[in-house]
């Protein structure tokens, strides 16, 4: 039996033909969430609970002002994120991981210039236990000396490898040009700065950033909002600290039209970056700009990828 012929678009010489009879994309289904319930916890932490009972699971995000731009000691923010789950005053990192595994849960840490995000999930039957473990990590993190020493070495090696690529110094140059002396423009720590960063600096950033008055907690999943609010209050009872958080200075507008060249003798690749001003978070144009950026350079179907890479073959990974 002979397979039916497949209609294809005209193929570019040296490139495979692309079918032109792909199925049409259907409508995007509506996302239906329950009404968000907002709760203020002991000490001033703000929580938002959103019921979404599709599966018996709960997702949690705790956002704290402990990002890289807030660190006064180079390397302390990175080491804080890498060692936050390495143990508490009650249990070491292995015991914490085992406890999470027993309840079908997990915890992860991510950071950017502004915040540290503690993300987790758990089977809904163990909702309260997840909150208790998050509270333990947030308030009783031990930052063991052995783990700090290990992560210092790993981070220093990572930075050494990153600085051997053209992309890393290009990013630093762009930040310096766009933000100047603002903390956002601060260069990434050097290997020497990382190796000199001690536990005291990590603990100081932890104390200043992990305060309930500056915390935002979000819970989404198979929850009953009133019951979840009671469990959150129970788990985080007694979490105290100063209200509010240290605010970064405003970003000042800097004139454009500047071209910065970073010479790397004998480099076999060239990296080109172009930066523009954009509206801040909360501006009405922020979400439309995210969508436009995704269309321009957000992945394999983006315009930059289809044009610069697929059509011309100028570069492997253009993005915006």
């Amino acid at each position: 039996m002979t397979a039916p012929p497949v209609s294809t678009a005209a193929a570019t010489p040296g490139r495979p033909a692309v079918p032109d009879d792909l199925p049409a994309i259907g409508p995007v289904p509506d996302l239906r969430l329950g009404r968000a319930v907002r709760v203020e916890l002991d000490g001033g932490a703000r929580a938002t609970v959103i019921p979404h009972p599709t599966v018996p699971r709960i997702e949690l995000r705790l956002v704290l002002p402990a990002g890289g731009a807030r660190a006064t000691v180079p390397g302390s923010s990175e080491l804080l994120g890498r060692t936050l789950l390495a143990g508490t005053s009650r249990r070491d990192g292995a015991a914490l991981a085992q406890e999470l595994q027993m309840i079908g849960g997990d915890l992860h840490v991510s950071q950017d210039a502004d915040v540290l995000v503690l993300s987790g999930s758990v089977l809904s039957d163990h909702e309260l236990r997840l909150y208790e473990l998050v509270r333990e990590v947030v308030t009783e993190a031990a930052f063991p000396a052995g783990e700090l020493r290990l992560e210092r070495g790993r981070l220093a090696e990572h930075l050494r490898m990153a600085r051997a690529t053209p992309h890393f110094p290009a990013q630093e140059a762009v930040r310096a040009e766009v933000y100047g002396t603002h903390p956002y423009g601060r260069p990434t720590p050097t290997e020497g700065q990382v190796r000199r960063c001690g536990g005291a600096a990590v603990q100081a950033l932890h104390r200043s950033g992990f305060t309930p008055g500056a915390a935002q907690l979000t819970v989404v999943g198979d929850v009953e909002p009133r019951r979840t609010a009671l469990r959150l209050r129970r788990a985080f009872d007694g979490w105290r600290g100063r209200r509010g958080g240290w605010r970064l200075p405003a970003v000042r507008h800097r004139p454009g039209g500047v071209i910065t060249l970073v010479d790397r003798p004998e480099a076999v690749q060239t990296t080109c970056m172009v930066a523009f001003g954009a509206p801040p978070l909360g501006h009405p144009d922020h979400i439309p700009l995210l969508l436009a950026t995704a269309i321009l350079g957000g992945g394999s179907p983006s315009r930059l990828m289809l044009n610069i890479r697929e059509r011309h073959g100028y570069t492997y990974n253009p993005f915006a």
Side-chain angles (χ1 to χ4, degrees):
M1 183 174 180
T2 305
V6 177
S7 172
T8 59
T12 304
R15 298 181 183 274
V18 179
D20 60 5
D21 55 353
L22 296 174
I25 299 175
V28 178
D30 293 334
L31 176 62
R32 297 182 179 181
L33 298 174
R35 184 176 66 88
V37 175
R38 291 175 172 79
V39 183
E40 183 168 328
L41 306 181
D42 197 18
R46 294 159 297 167
T48 302
V49 181
I50 305 174
H52 187 49
T54 54
V55 294
R57 198 158 184 84
I58 293 168
E59 296 281 340
L60 171 148
R61 301 289 184 274
L62 177 60
V63 182
L64 294 154
R70 301 176 186 273
T72 56
V73 178
S76 59
S77 175
E78 291 84 352
L79 290 174
L80 170 63
R82 286 170 171 257
T83 57
L84 182 63
L85 301 178
T88 70
S89 60
R90 305 186 199 186
R91 70 196 87 225
D92 61 17
L96 176 62
Q98 185 177 24
E99 179 78 11
L100 287 165
Q101 187 179 36
M102 291 294 291
I103 62 174
D106 59 71
L107 283 176
H108 305 281
V109 177
S110 60
Q111 287 173 291
D112 61 19
D114 293 297
V115 296
L116 179 145
V117 181
L118 187 60
S119 306
S121 64
V122 73
L123 296 173
S124 52
D125 287 345
H126 303 287
E127 177 186 3
L128 176 59
R129 187 62 183 137
L130 177 66
Y131 303 154
E132 290 172 342
L133 289 172
V134 169
R135 158 69 188 271
E136 182 180 327
V137 167
V138 168
T139 62
E140 302 179 38
F143 306 109
E147 292 294 331
L148 278 169
R149 184 167 55 252
L150 179 63
E151 291 301 335
R152 271 196 295 265
R154 287 176 174 171
L155 179 57
E157 179 64 13
H158 170 76
L159 292 172
R160 186 189 67 79
M161 295 174 64
R163 286 196 163 93
T165 68
H167 186 79
F168 190 91
Q171 280 187 316
E172 287 196 311
V174 167
R175 289 203 307 268
E177 190 58 54
V178 170
Y179 296 113
T181 59
H182 189 277
Y184 288 164
R186 186 182 299 151
T188 306
T190 64
E191 297 169 57
Q193 288 173 326
V194 168
R195 295 188 187 279
R196 291 191 298 271
C197 181
V202 175
Q203 291 167 355
L205 180 59
H206 176 257
R207 286 192 300 271
S208 66
F210 283 50
T211 58
Q216 174 62 58
L217 180 65
T218 304
V219 177
V220 180
D222 186 17
V223 297
E224 195 288 307
R226 288 190 178 183
R227 182 181 60 199
T228 294
L230 290 173
R231 288 174 172 174
L232 287 170
R233 287 195 172 102
R234 174 180 169 183
F236 289 91
D237 179 50
W239 184 20
R240 293 283 190 269
R242 58 187 175 83
R243 291 187 174 256
W246 175 61
R247 292 185 177 275
L248 290 171
V251 176
R252 294 183 178 181
H253 174 73
R254 290 170 63 83
V258 177
I259 297 176
T260 302
L261 301 176
V262 181
D263 186 25
R264 291 177 61 84
E266 301 182 7
V268 296
Q269 289 183 321
T270 297
T271 294
C272 177
M273 292 187 176
V274 183
F276 299 90
L281 287 170
H283 191 282
D285 289 339
H286 179 70
I287 298 300
L289 179 63
L290 292 180
L291 176 60
T293 304
I295 294 171
L296 174 64
S300 55
S302 67
R303 295 183 180 181
L304 285 178
M305 187 71 77
L306 294 177
N307 188 357
I308 297 178
R309 171 176 161 173
E310 298 300 323
R311 181 178 179 184
H312 296 289
Y314 290 153
T315 186
Y316 183 77
N317 190 26
F319 64 92

